[in-house]
């Protein structure tokens, strides 16, 4: 089954979204020029989510990717809710008071976030009241705790992640008289999601990461070439510090059973995640909630089983690792992506492909045919293709789409092979998942002039 290039394009472009930061008086005053984002599903329905929003009461911009597992319910809830928790954590005491007074007296609320959404990005209307009540309880506590100090962004991010995860767990334990909502809060809590979120404010870039999605900075060197700087660490078995952390939190007698086959308790790939109460609640609590929950929950095998060697929960945390980076003029873009991208591409290639795409300048790499016997005819073909690629205007209007095209269609020579791309995109649902994961990408473009001006002021 062979897809034509227009068919390939329509699949690749179905979920693309771009946002340009508006100019004021013809000038761009933000350190962010804008962003491109896109998603390519492998699961049906897709289990990844993405979010982007401008914080209206502070100057920051929030962007995030969320990789769900055991269904999409948790990733969906986190994509809708986390930015509100972060925004509220960053608000000054007076603003929190204003918001609370408005709710008290039934007046219109100050908007906190301006969302930048693709029409396909779902929002659950039914749960909005429940979600709002949990958020309100949080800001009421922040008001009561008022220390009068300005909030540290790092702390705000950590508190917001932990609090939302706590609320997800509480809502599931309390349940809801509405049977639809009751089932929803349980599905959210029993499924799980990683989160990789960036907060950009002036030259301050903070990345808060929980799980194995990644943030990477694209830096343009003086000679025009591109390099990649990691702004997150994967929380999985490949990260020795993370394995050590998990071992430190449990008795020595469990050392052998904690990580098996590179998975937490032999089951879970990420070592940090939202939801996943199967790895957080006591066995008694799990049984009580499942038994008193709706029938659909009882029929679900996943909720019934208890992980093996489950002695000293919680085994899992949603606490993020936060990395702060001061932006420099050579920092041109940030890529946030779920592991579907990083499983197929090295960060150095990601930096080069996006950098060349954004600047339209190809650095001629010597053609690498590493260890392959290449005939003159094939070499001629590669050179012709390269010439065509330079002369043709990029077919993608969106940097994230361009990256997905490479992630799915690259051949061993590092160029996009249309036939391979066509095959990969025409795989039936049940096969697609065996060859690739959902891919979600946000590419944020920075404004070097504004960043340079910030630096000069200092």
């Amino acid at each position: 089954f062979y897809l034509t290039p227009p068919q390939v394009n329509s699949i690749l472009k179905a979920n693309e979204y771009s946002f340009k930061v508006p100019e004021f008086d013809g000038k761009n005053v933000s350190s962010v020029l804008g962003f491109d984002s896109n998603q390519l599903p492998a699961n049906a329905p897709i289990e990844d989510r993405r979010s982007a929003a401008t914080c209206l009461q502070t100057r920051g911009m929030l962007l995030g990717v969320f990789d769900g597992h055991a269904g999409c319910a948790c990733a969906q809830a986190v994509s809708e809710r986390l930015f509100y928790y972060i925004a509220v954590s960053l608000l000054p005491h007076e603003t929190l008071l204003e918001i609370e007074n408005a709710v008290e007296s039934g007046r219109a609320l100050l908007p906190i976030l301006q969302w930048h959404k693709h029409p396909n990005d779902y929002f659950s209307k039914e749960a909005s009241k429940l979600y709002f009540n949990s958020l309100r309880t949080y800001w009421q506590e922040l008001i009561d705790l008022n220390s009068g100090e300005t909030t540290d962004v790092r702390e705000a991010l950590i508190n917001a992640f932990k609090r939302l995860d706590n609320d997800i767990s509480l809502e599931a334990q309390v349940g809801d008289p509405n049977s639809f909502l009751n089932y929803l809060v349980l599905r959210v809590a029993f499924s799980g999601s990683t989160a990789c979120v960036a907060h950009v404010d002036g030259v301050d870039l903070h990345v808060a990461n929980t799980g194995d999605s990644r943030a990477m900075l694209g830096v343009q060197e003086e000679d025009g070439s591109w390099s990649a700087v990691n702004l997150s660490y994967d929380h999985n078995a490949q990260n020795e510090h993370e394995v050590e952390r998990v071992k430190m939190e449990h008795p020595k007698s469990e050392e052998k059973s904690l990580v098996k086959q590179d998975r937490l308790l032999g089951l879970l790939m990420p070592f940090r995640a939202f939801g996943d109460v199967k790895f957080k609640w006591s066995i008694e609590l799990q049984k009580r909630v499942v038994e008193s929950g709706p029938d659909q929950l009882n029929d679900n095998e996943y909720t019934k089983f208890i992980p093996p060697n489950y002695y000293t929960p919680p085994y899992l945390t949603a606490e993020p690792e936060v990395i702060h980076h001061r932006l420099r003029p050579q920092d041109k873009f940030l890529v946030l992506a779920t592991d579907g991208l990083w499983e197929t591409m090295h960060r150095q290639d990601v930096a080069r492909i996006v950098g060349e795409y954004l600047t339209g300048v190809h650095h001629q790499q010597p053609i690498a045919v590493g260890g392959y016997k290449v005939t003159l005819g094939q070499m001629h073909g590669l050179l012709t293709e390269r010439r065509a690629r330079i002369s043709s205007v990029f077919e993608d209007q969106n940097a994230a789409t361009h990256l997905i095209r490479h992630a799915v269609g690259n051949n061993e020579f590092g160029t996009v092979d249309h036939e391979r791309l066509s095959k990969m995109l025409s795989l039936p649902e049940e096969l697609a998942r065996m060859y690739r994961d959902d891919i979600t990408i946000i590419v944020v473009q920075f404004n070097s002039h504004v960043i340079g001006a910030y630096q000069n002021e200092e």
Side-chain angles (χ1 to χ4, degrees):
F1 184 57
Y2 195 69
L3 301 171
T4 63
Q7 287 172 318
V8 163
N9 281 348
S10 76
I11 292 172
L12 288 180
K13 292 171 190 281
N15 297 310
E16 67 180 12
Y17 178 84
S18 293
F19 175 75
K20 295 274 171 286
V21 173
E23 296 183 349
F24 295 99
D25 302 330
K27 282 211 292 291
N28 204 314
V29 291
S30 168
S31 54
V32 175
L33 282 170
F35 68 86
D36 290 338
S37 84
N38 200 351
Q39 294 189 297
L40 182 68
N43 292 297
I46 185 169
E47 294 185 344
D48 279 7
R49 292 292 184 271
R50 58 181 163 177
S51 293
T54 304
C55 299
L56 294 173
Q57 308 301 327
T58 58
R59 293 175 318 168
M61 191 167 193
L62 285 165
L63 307 110
V65 294
F66 312 96
D67 185 352
H69 44 263
C72 59
C74 189
Q76 176 62 44
V78 174
S79 74
E80 287 183 44
R81 304 178 69 182
L82 181 58
F83 287 7
Y84 281 114
Y85 280 71
I86 295 172
V88 162
S89 307
L90 287 166
L91 289 179
H93 187 247
E94 307 77 70
T95 314
L96 288 174
L97 277 173
E98 274 175 53
I99 292 174
E100 177 55 29
N101 292 335
V103 179
E104 274 286 302
S105 58
R107 293 198 315 276
L109 276 187
L110 281 172
I112 300 177
L113 295 174
Q114 176 195 355
W115 290 94
H116 309 299
K117 298 187 97 40
H118 185 282
N120 294 2
D121 291 343
Y122 170 75
F123 238 64
S124 56
K125 308 248 187 322
E126 300 84 359
S128 57
K129 190 164 191 276
L130 169 78
Y131 290 172
F132 178 80
N133 290 339
S134 293
L135 181 69
R136 184 182 179 191
T137 306
Y138 178 41
W139 82 53
Q140 286 170 335
E141 285 175 30
L142 289 174
I143 290 172
D144 294 343
L145 286 170
N146 173 34
S147 54
E149 292 164 26
T150 50
T151 321
D152 173 63
V153 178
R154 186 174 175 279
E155 243 169 85
L157 288 163
I158 293 172
N159 293 343
F161 272 61
K162 286 164 73 173
R163 177 59 180 236
L164 173 57
D165 192 52
N166 196 45
D167 283 355
I168 285 171
S169 171
L170 264 174
E171 288 157 4
Q173 291 172 48
V174 173
D176 196 282
N178 171 330
S179 59
F180 172 82
L181 278 180
N182 197 28
Y183 186 43
L184 176 81
V185 294
L186 289 162
R187 275 183 33 228
V188 168
F190 277 93
S191 58
S193 178
T194 69
C196 187
V197 170
H199 178 266
V200 193
D201 182 0
V203 288
D204 289 304
L205 166 62
H206 286 84
V207 172
N209 181 54
T210 286
D212 53 10
S213 294
R214 282 186 204 165
M216 180 213 93
L217 197 61
V219 180
Q220 191 164 28
E221 304 299 342
E222 283 183 2
D223 65 358
S225 66
W226 294 94
S227 65
V229 175
N230 273 354
L231 288 182
S232 67
Y233 299 105
D234 293 357
H235 299 137
N236 58 21
Q238 273 62 59
N239 179 341
E240 288 167 23
H241 294 294
E242 197 57 11
V243 175
E244 276 315 301
R245 176 189 68 79
V246 172
K247 286 184 176 168
M248 292 287 290
E249 289 172 6
H250 299 276
K252 198 127 180 70
S253 55
E254 290 184 57
E255 202 162 331
K256 288 202 165 46
S257 57
L258 278 172
V259 180
K260 279 192 155 164
Q261 287 151 341
D262 280 352
R263 291 168 182 256
L264 189 63
L265 297 182
L267 297 168
L268 198 61
M269 291 284 271
F271 283 18
R272 303 190 194 196
F274 282 91
D276 280 320
V277 292
K278 299 229 55 90
F279 296 85
K280 294 172 179 170
W281 288 356
S282 69
I283 293 177
E284 299 75 56
L285 179 57
Q286 289 189 40
K287 284 189 170 147
R288 181 171 68 70
V289 170
V290 172
E291 279 161 16
S292 62
D295 297 340
Q296 300 112 301
L297 202 66
N298 276 315
D299 304 339
N300 185 335
E301 286 308 303
Y302 177 71
T303 53
K304 273 205 222 133
F305 91 102
I306 301 292
N309 304 302
Y310 198 78
Y311 309 113
T312 53
Y315 287 90
L316 190 65
T317 177
E319 179 167 337
E321 196 169 5
V322 179
I323 290 180
H324 172 244
H325 175 83
R326 284 186 68 77
L327 290 169
R328 310 157 299 173
Q330 63 266 39
D331 299 331
K332 300 297 183 189
F333 60 88
L334 172 74
V335 177
L336 298 171
T338 54
D339 62 349
L341 173 69
W342 311 110
E343 282 165 5
T344 59
M345 291 189 86
H346 189 273
R347 62 174 185 269
Q348 202 47 57
D349 295 327
V350 170
R352 181 181 54 79
I353 287 165
V354 175
E356 289 180 357
Y357 170 83
L358 292 176
T359 55
V361 178
H362 281 284
H363 266 262
Q364 290 291 23
Q365 306 267 344
I367 283 197
V369 287
Y372 293 95
K373 286 198 164 57
V374 178
T375 65
L376 274 175
Q378 286 168 317
M379 197 63 178
H380 175 72
L382 283 170
L383 289 165
T384 319
E385 189 185 332
R386 173 195 251 179
R387 192 164 340 121
R389 203 167 72 237
I390 295 162
S391 60
S392 77
V393 181
F394 286 114
E395 54 212 277
D396 296 313
Q397 304 300 305
N398 178 304
T401 309
H402 188 68
L403 203 43
I404 290 177
R405 190 182 295 276
H406 277 270
V408 180
N410 264 2
N411 59 17
E412 60 270 35
F413 304 118
T415 59
V416 174
D417 174 344
H418 178 75
E419 199 173 324
R420 178 183 163 81
L421 192 55
S422 167
K423 277 183 188 156
M424 290 295 279
L425 293 179
S426 57
L427 290 170
E429 277 167 11
E430 57 280 7
L431 273 179
R433 190 61 197 85
M434 292 162 70
Y435 287 91
R436 57 185 175 82
D437 195 354
D438 296 331
I439 300 175
T440 298
I441 301 172
I442 301 177
V443 179
V444 187
Q445 203 178 344
F446 295 121
N447 187 335
S448 307
H449 301 301
V450 171
I451 291 167
Y454 266 109
Q455 281 195 326
N456 297 337
E457 278 170 27
E458 290 167 14

